[in-house]
């Protein structure tokens, strides 16, 4: 029973083709999870960590618009100018961190491109360009990782032009940083206009003349200081809170995340990884706090959380079955006949456990799917066919060990075909494990339920940390 190609993951704003993480999805379970997460935190993605980057997006859009008039081909130059300004910005922040690590160490946490900028700086202060900065910078740079949320909030429009909410955000930011007149086009004497003109000119010089400013250029600090990711101003913070709360469901979820119990649950799950943090916060903190008998919004959130939990149960069972196949082939040198995998004495208890659990998990998912059409906030973002398909496959897979393996292999085949990629396991009389896809461990995978996908809880908490919420902090690492 294969997965129809029209229901498989496609390149959408939720899962851009340029984004490497989205490509590792051998059973095609990512897409539905992303759409469920979109109900709870619309506009967010798993790579968004720092709200100050929304302000950076607004500045970058403004710089790109002003730079267009100074380029020979303005239509092609807007994106190029934005990417050039972005490289200047990341390098500026990294320079301050290298110069003063104690005071700037938090500024570069989860700042895309910071590791590459640091490498270029310490390797003779090499000019940052397309060849030595982020691959797919338009998607993976500081602008790209939050662009979707910025558009959702009206900070920029679909053409990357500064929106009305972006102007409001910049007015608040410029007031905090004492840069009045930032949006003026004819008042060259204002501090804000002078600041913007300076970095527009530096962007054009970098883009057109491949000019890289000297280490002693004062602009490095003057660019980094007011835009440092860890120092959101008071007025700016108010605007960002207001924009994030503009969607009633996202606003309610953020409100619930700020409750002391939710923060305690989140901190207590920190050792379990993102999936465990999502699971515990959603089920143990948000779900019990919802007022389902009083608020329509809470009823939608309640159904969405339960749908997410049921979906993750089925998806985790499917992944366990697939990993069992990888493990069985790996311990046989990469080749085996299908019946040898089925008869493996170590895998047999795992497969039997999956067959026992899948029917119940399928029924639970189906019961929730039937309730979705009555909640347009969920239905509008979640095509039900992919959920129906995986629920049906779970039912069939629970019939027998042989049927389960058939379902998993068919689903994997259809997913890889849809992506134009080869299967990890080449079928035939003898199955062959493709190089690089082995699963080496002493014990086989276990049939435990875990969240394979994130539902944006850690990302929302990271935003809240930068916006002044006590008890949480921005996770380490570069996005």
């Amino acid at each position: 029973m294969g997965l129809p190609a029209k229901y498989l993951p496609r390149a959408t704003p939720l899962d851009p083709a340029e984004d490497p993480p989205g490509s590792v999805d051998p059973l095609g379970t990512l897409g539905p999870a992303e759409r469920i997460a979109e109900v709870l935190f619309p506009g967010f993605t798993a790579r968004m960590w720092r709200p100050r980057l929304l302000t950076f997006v607004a500045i970058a859009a403004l710089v790109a618009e002003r730079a267009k008039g100074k380029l020979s081909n303005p239509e092609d130059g807007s994106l190029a100018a934005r990417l050039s300004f972005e490289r200047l910005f990341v390098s500026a922040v990294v320079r301050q961190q290298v110069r003063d690590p104690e005071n700037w160490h938090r500024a570069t946490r989860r700042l895309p491109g910071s590791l590459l900028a640091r490498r270029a700086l310490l390797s003779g202060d090499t000019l940052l360009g397309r060849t030595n900065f982020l691959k797919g910078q338009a998607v993976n740079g500081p602008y790209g990782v939050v662009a979707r949320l910025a558009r959702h909030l009206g900070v920029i429009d679909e053409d990357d032009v500064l929106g009305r909410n972006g102007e409001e955000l910049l007015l608040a930011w410029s007031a905090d940083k004492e840069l009045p007149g930032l949006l003026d086009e004819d008042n060259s004497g204002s501090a804000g206009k002078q600041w913007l003109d300076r970095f527009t000119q530096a962007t054009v010089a970098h883009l057109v003349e491949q000019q890289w400013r000297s280490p002693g250029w004062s602009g490095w600090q003057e660019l980094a200081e007011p835009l440092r990711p860890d120092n959101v101003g008071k007025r700016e913070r108010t605007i960002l809170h207001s924009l994030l709360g503009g969607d009633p469901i996202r606003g309610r979820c953020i409100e619930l995340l700020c409750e002391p119990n939710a923060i305690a649950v989140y901190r207590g799950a920190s050792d379990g990884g993102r999936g465990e943090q999502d699971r515990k916060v959603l089920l143990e903190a948000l779900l019990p706090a919802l007022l389902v008998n009083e608020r329509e919004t809470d009823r939608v959130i309640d159904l969405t959380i339960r749908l997410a939990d049921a979906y993750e149960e089925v998806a985790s069972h499917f992944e366990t079955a697939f990993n069992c196949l990888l493990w069985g082939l790996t311990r046989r040198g990469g080749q085996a006949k299908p019946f040898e995998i089925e008869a493996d004495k170590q895998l047999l208890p795992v497969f039997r456990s999956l067959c026992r659990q899948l029917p119940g998990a399928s029924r639970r998912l189906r019961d929730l799917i039937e309730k979705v059409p009555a909640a347009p906030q969920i239905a509008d973002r979640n095509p039900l066919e992919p959920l129906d398909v995986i629920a049906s496959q779970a039912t069939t897979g629970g019939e027998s060990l042989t049927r389960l393996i058939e379902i998993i292999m068919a689903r994997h085949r259809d997913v890889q075909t849809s992506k134009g990629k080869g299967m990890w396991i080449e079928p035939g009389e003898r199955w062959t494990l493709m190089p690089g896809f082995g699963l080496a461990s002493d014990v086989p995978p276990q049939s435990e339920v875990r969240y394979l996908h994130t539902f944006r809880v850690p990302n929302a908490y990271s935003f809240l940390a930068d916006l002044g919420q006590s008890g949480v902090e921005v996770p380490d690492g570069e996005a």
Side-chain angles (χ1 to χ4, degrees), residues 15 42 93 95 110 137 166 201 205 246 251 269 271 298 361 395 419 449:
D15 184 23
V93 174
R95 288 167 191 271
R110 293 288 182 176
Q137 183 190 340
Q201 293 166 4
D271 294 337
D298 284 25
T395 300
K419 293 190 293 188
V449 176

Side-chain angles (χ1 to χ4, degrees), residues 271-388:
D271 294 337
R274 292 182 66 171
E276 184 65 5
Q277 288 177 318
D278 277 296
R279 189 186 69 81
K280 281 187 169 291
V281 171
L282 292 178
L283 299 182
E284 299 179 15
L286 267 61
L287 203 60
L290 293 170
L291 305 174
V292 293
N293 295 323
E294 301 175 22
R295 298 188 180 187
E296 173 63 22
T297 297
D298 284 25
R299 286 193 288 273
V300 172
I301 295 172
D302 178 89
L303 177 56
T304 305
I305 291 175
R306 295 181 190 279
L307 183 66
D309 188 56
Y311 178 77
E312 288 299 294
E313 182 179 4
V314 172
S316 68
H317 288 332
F318 272 32
E319 183 180 78
T320 298
F322 185 67
N323 286 340
C324 282
L325 301 182
L326 299 180
W327 186 86
L329 285 167
T330 301
R331 70 194 299 262
R332 286 170 173 77
Q335 279 195 335
K337 293 184 177 181
F339 79 85
E340 294 178 308
I341 304 296
E342 292 185 32
D344 188 297
K345 292 183 178 180
Q346 290 183 270
L347 291 177
L348 199 55
V350 183
F351 281 132
R352 286 173 174 166
S353 176
L354 292 173
C355 289
R356 287 194 301 270
Q357 296 179 71
L358 278 170
S362 174
R363 285 193 298 272
R364 180 175 172 229
L365 180 57
R366 278 197 175 283
D367 288 345
L368 292 164
I369 291 172
E370 291 177 359
K371 297 178 181 178
V372 168
Q377 302 94 326
I378 305 175
D380 290 349
R381 294 188 173 111
N382 286 273
L384 294 182
E385 293 89 346
L387 296 175
D388 280 330

Side-chain angles (χ1 to χ4, degrees), residues 38-174:
E38 177 70 3
V39 179
L40 298 175
F41 295 100
F44 269 84
T45 72
R47 302 188 304 157
M48 298 177 185
W49 299 99
R50 313 217 70 161
R52 169 49 77 76
L53 293 186
L54 292 168
T55 307
F56 168 76
V57 163
I59 290 287
L62 186 58
V63 168
E65 185 65 24
R66 300 289 171 87
K68 281 172 57 176
K70 305 177 186 297
L71 301 173
S72 58
N73 190 344
E75 293 304 318
D76 294 337
S78 182
L79 173 61
R82 170 164 62 80
L83 299 181
S84 293
F85 176 68
E86 184 172 69
R87 292 192 290 269
L88 290 172
F89 163 68
V90 175
S91 184
V93 174
V94 167
R95 288 167 191 271
Q96 307 314 308
Q97 193 272 335
V98 169
R99 179 183 58 83
D100 187 2
E102 182 177 351
N103 292 326
W104 280 79
H105 75 282
R106 292 188 68 252
T108 55
R109 293 165 72 179
R110 293 288 182 176
L111 176 63
S114 58
L115 296 181
L116 292 171
R118 180 184 178 90
R119 182 184 303 168
L121 176 62
L122 299 180
S123 300
D125 199 5
T126 306
L127 177 147
L128 273 185
R130 296 178 62 182
T131 59
N132 65 343
F133 197 51
L134 291 163
K135 182 180 179 181
Q137 183 190 340
V139 173
N140 297 315
Y143 189 106
V145 298
V146 297
R148 187 169 181 278
L149 180 59
R151 294 186 185 104
H152 195 278
L153 299 179
V155 173
I156 54 174
D157 64 18
E158 293 300 320
D159 296 319
D160 292 305
V161 175
L162 187 66
R164 290 185 60 184
N165 288 343
E167 293 180 355
E168 185 179 7
L169 179 58
L170 287 186
L171 289 174
W173 172 81
S174 61

